[in-house]
Amino acid sequence: MDRNYHVFSDGRLERSDDTLRLVPEDGDDKKYIPIENAEAFFLHGQIDFNTRLMSFLNDRTVALHVFGWEDYYSGSVMPKRGQTSGKTVVNQVRAYEDSQHRRQLAAAIVRGSIHNMRTNAVYYNGRDHDLDDVIEDLEAAAARVDEELPVDELLGTEATAKKAYYRSFNEILPREFQLTQREYNPPPNEINSLISFGNSLVYANCVSAIRATALDPTISYLHEPGERRYSLSLDLADLFKPVLADRVLFRLVNRNQISETDFETELGSCLLNESGRKTYTKEFEETLERTVEHPALNRKVSYQYLMRLEAYKLKKHLLTGEEYDPFQRWW
Amino acid sequence: MTDTDPVDRLLATARGEPVDEPFRVTGVMMQYYHVCKRELWFESRDLEIDRENPTVVRGTRVDDTAYSDKRENLNLGMISLDLLDDGRVVEVKPSSTLTEPAEMQLSYYLWYLDRVADIERDGVLAHPRERSREPVELTDERAEEVEMAIRGIHNIVSQSSPPPAEEKPFCDSCAYHDFCWC
């Protein structure tokens, strides 16, 4: 699977013959980046680029994910589609319009999402943390997931599960990283800012995965379409946040690889600084490259490719009527 | 749904006659019908294949580079074929595995030329990398097989869902592999 590149410095990204060059603003320490195996660029700094670069990235089907003020995800510049499929979009919309079908898909996503939260809780429960009551609450929430429920109740069930799940953070993490409440826009403390940053990376990776199919990223089932920019990406990201973002967070904080010096605190907001973001993205990218034996494909696939497969699964379901079985961590 | 024979519908569509439900079969559909019916169903629904798949890249490259000096392309409605300069229809394949599907694809071209354009031609199945060629002729028996296959294709693509996945020796190299099995 191709890899992501993160650019934190300010400067200029440009085409140089048949590869890419990053020219930092404050010097002539130019860096060449191999484009052959690039999946996407994540731009966290202030980057200039021109149309020549855009055409080049377009030819190589490489995406740019742009992070703006305070490192919020602000948008993507995607390569133009190689192929489009009207049929796919028509079926996507039909499934949304058919309220029973929509509820069925929304319920599947919530089921998968709760399962993946529970897997994390079970893992840490077995490592000297007492999370029995969290697991119990998650199981109770999972038992309430029903395709007959209206979508807003399914969303509510997921929110309840998430609340229970976030209690486990306090048990798993040291005292300085207590999550009293999940808040964002802006995150008020270290732990909230870590969750937000991780979630935005999962989200952007799902945008890339969806783009690799002809699915329309704005037509979604659990979240309301167009609620935010790419709501289908929000749907899929819910399945992967526990596996990707949360596990990276637990690992980094518990190993003291992230500490209070990795944050910038301002009035009412707390955000990762550049060194914190570098540490986080390095661990995150390594996690994306981890592989696991896939029981149906009979080969090892990377965590990153699991997101691509999820988009395939959804598309296959929409086009063939074959059952959509949400991603649930099996290892 | 009309009850007319799919073969007649295909011919009427190809000749540009008014048809209630036009029916088209491409060469690649004829090939897939003999390779994997699930793949055929996917193809009929415009499912994009993985263009970066090594087998696809190889096939495209062999087709683009072989016989570039002596071929001309003939586009005839639903089929697009290559003619050698001696007038024979050539179908280029990277290797001689899965010969029968390739023969059927070529037979379909010959059948189509004969029935739609009233042109009789012989065909050549070419494996430039193996430096081998195999003549393909449209016998009555072959023509009958082609028509049976057209009806079979019609039957598959009219289903609302694809035939279930079946493990085959060449699944691993298929461009739909992950989509099919995930």
Side-chain angles (χ1 to χ4, degrees):
Chain A
M1 190 68 195
D2 294 340
R3 55 171 293 194
N4 293 324
Y5 290 91
H6 294 262
V7 183
F8 293 99
S9 49
D10 295 344
R12 186 176 174 74
L13 193 60
E14 58 191 20
R15 176 175 183 171
S16 165
D17 296 325
D18 260 349
T19 192
L20 288 173
R21 185 163 63 185
L22 180 67
V23 186
E25 202 176 44
D26 53 359
D28 45 10
D29 188 16
K30 293 171 184 163
K31 236 198 214 153
Y32 289 85
I33 306 164
I35 193 173
E36 286 306 329
N37 60 349
E39 165 87 17
F41 281 86
F42 288 65
L43 306 182
H44 303 270
Q46 290 299 314
I47 307 291
D48 292 342
F49 52 82
N50 61 16
T51 50
R52 189 160 166 261
L53 178 85
M54 297 309 311
S55 319
F56 187 49
L57 294 178
N58 193 26
D59 289 344
R60 307 301 176 99
T61 65
V62 176
L64 289 179
H65 299 301
V66 181
F67 291 77
W69 180 73
E70 294 192 330
D71 228 24
Y72 285 118
Y73 171 83
S74 60
S76 302
V77 185
M78 305 296 292
K80 82 172 188 294
R81 286 168 193 278
Q83 274 162 314
T84 52
S85 164
K87 279 196 180 74
T88 303
V89 180
V90 167
N91 285 323
Q92 241 185 306
V93 175
R94 276 196 190 138
Y96 168 79
E97 291 278 6
D98 174 346
S99 65
Q100 195 197 342
H101 197 168
R102 181 184 173 188
R103 288 198 306 268
Q104 185 196 328
L105 286 169
I109 292 162
V110 174
R111 194 162 10 100
S113 157
I114 296 178
H115 171 95
N116 293 332
M117 290 190 252
R118 184 183 175 278
T119 308
N120 279 1
V122 167
Y123 174 77
Y124 282 97
N125 200 38
R127 296 178 58 134
D128 295 338
H129 299 287
D130 180 12
L131 299 171
D132 286 340
D133 63 322
V134 171
I135 295 170
E136 220 169 88
D137 286 357
L138 287 173
E139 283 168 357
R144 280 198 302 277
V145 178
D146 188 329
E147 302 176 352
E148 299 304 316
L149 291 177
V151 171
D152 56 342
E153 280 186 42
L154 286 166
L155 263 174
T157 305
E158 201 202 23
T160 312
K162 215 159 230 174
K163 221 169 167 183
Y165 170 65
Y166 280 139
R167 290 210 317 272
S168 73
F169 281 49
N170 295 334
E171 184 62 38
I172 295 165
L173 298 172
R175 191 176 295 278
E176 317 85 84
F177 282 88
Q178 291 295 292
L179 178 68
T180 41
Q181 207 180 348
R182 174 78 182 112
E183 284 176 77
Y184 36 91
N185 287 332
N189 53 25
E190 287 83 359
I191 182 71
N192 272 296
S193 114
L194 280 169
I195 295 174
S196 292
F197 187 62
N199 287 351
S200 71
L201 294 183
V202 175
Y203 171 86
N205 275 285
C206 286
V207 172
S208 282
I210 291 165
R211 186 59 170 218
T213 70
L215 288 169
D216 188 311
T218 63
I219 300 160
S220 53
Y221 303 100
L222 179 60
H223 296 85
E224 203 52 48
E227 189 180 287
R228 273 184 262 166
R229 206 172 273 107
Y230 292 135
S231 43
L232 185 60
S233 213
L234 291 174
D235 282 8
L236 294 193
D238 271 351
L239 296 167
F240 290 96
K241 285 170 187 171
V243 177
L244 297 169
D246 301 343
R247 287 296 266 273
V248 167
L249 185 161
F250 295 149
R251 238 179 275 145
L252 289 174
V253 173
N254 282 337
R255 289 182 197 156
N256 289 319
Q257 282 171 276
I258 289 256
S259 66
E260 283 169 39
T261 58
D262 289 309
F263 296 88
E264 273 160 29
T265 311
E266 274 171 46
L267 194 63
S269 85
C270 173
L271 293 156
L272 278 163
N273 60 24
E274 188 174 326
S275 85
R277 295 201 298 257
K278 275 186 176 160
T279 307
Y280 190 100
T281 47
K282 185 164 178 282
E283 184 69 26
F284 187 86
E285 292 300 330
E286 281 169 15
T287 304
L288 288 181
E289 285 170 27
R290 287 188 182 199
T291 59
V292 58
E293 182 72 30
H294 193 288
L297 299 185
N298 276 325
R299 65 161 202 270
K300 286 190 155 197
V301 298
S302 68
Y303 285 19
Q304 178 163 29
Y305 195 64
L306 290 173
M307 289 179 270
R308 170 87 66 98
L309 288 175
E310 205 57 19
Y312 283 165
K313 277 158 65 181
L314 185 60
K315 177 170 173 173
K316 183 167 66 169
H317 163 77
L318 293 167
L319 284 164
T320 67
E322 291 173 0
E323 200 185 338
Y324 169 67
D325 196 8
F327 163 65
Q328 308 194 43
R329 190 175 179 137
W330 64 82
W331 66 98
Chain B
M1 188 60 75
T2 43
D3 292 333
T4 48
D5 185 354
V7 176
D8 295 333
R9 260 168 63 200
L10 183 147
L11 288 172
T13 309
R15 291 175 185 135
E17 295 161 12
V19 197
D20 283 347
E21 285 179 77
F23 178 52
R24 310 168 65 83
V25 172
T26 62
V28 92
M29 285 167 78
M30 182 57 75
Q31 192 204 349
Y32 287 174
Y33 178 71
H34 292 86
V35 175
C36 171
K37 296 182 168 56
R38 188 169 164 87
E39 187 179 22
L40 165 66
W41 193 95
F42 288 158
E43 161 74 19
S44 73
R45 297 302 192 275
D46 300 333
L47 264 162
E48 75 264 51
I49 55 170
D50 176 8
R51 293 257 156 225
E52 290 158 30
N53 176 294
T55 315
V56 176
V57 172
R58 176 164 168 251
T60 312
R61 206 167 288 157
V62 170
D63 184 56
D64 285 349
T65 52
Y67 306 106
S68 52
D69 50 339
K70 326 181 169 176
R71 271 200 299 180
E72 54 181 319
N73 212 278
L74 189 60
N75 213 315
L76 286 169
M78 51 188 92
I79 62 169
S80 164
L81 35 87
D82 293 323
L83 285 174
L84 275 182
D85 61 358
D86 64 4
R88 287 183 297 172
V89 180
V90 60
E91 179 56 29
V92 181
K93 294 287 180 207
S95 89
S96 54
T97 50
L98 300 177
T99 301
E100 198 231 334
E103 279 173 5
M104 286 308 294
Q105 179 178 357
L106 184 49
S107 303
Y108 174 57
Y109 290 157
L110 301 177
W111 176 89
Y112 187 98
L113 275 181
D114 180 70
R115 303 293 200 271
V116 176
D118 204 16
I119 300 172
E120 270 183 57
R121 292 282 184 205
D122 285 335
V124 181
L125 192 56
H127 310 295
R129 290 202 160 185
E130 298 170 7
R131 308 209 173 276
S132 69
R133 289 177 172 204
E134 184 202 325
V136 172
E137 235 181 282
L138 186 71
T139 58
D140 288 348
E141 204 180 312
R142 265 285 155 80
E144 184 60 33
E145 273 183 77
V146 167
E147 293 178 14
M148 289 301 289
I150 290 169
R151 295 184 189 105
I153 290 168
H154 182 263
N155 184 32
I156 299 285
V157 304
S158 343
Q159 308 288 328
S160 58
S161 51
E166 235 179 88
E167 181 94 56
K168 293 184 172 148
F170 39 80
C171 277
D172 280 349
S173 58
C174 175
Y176 289 109
H177 178 273
D178 290 358
F179 182 84
C180 188
W181 292 98
C182 73

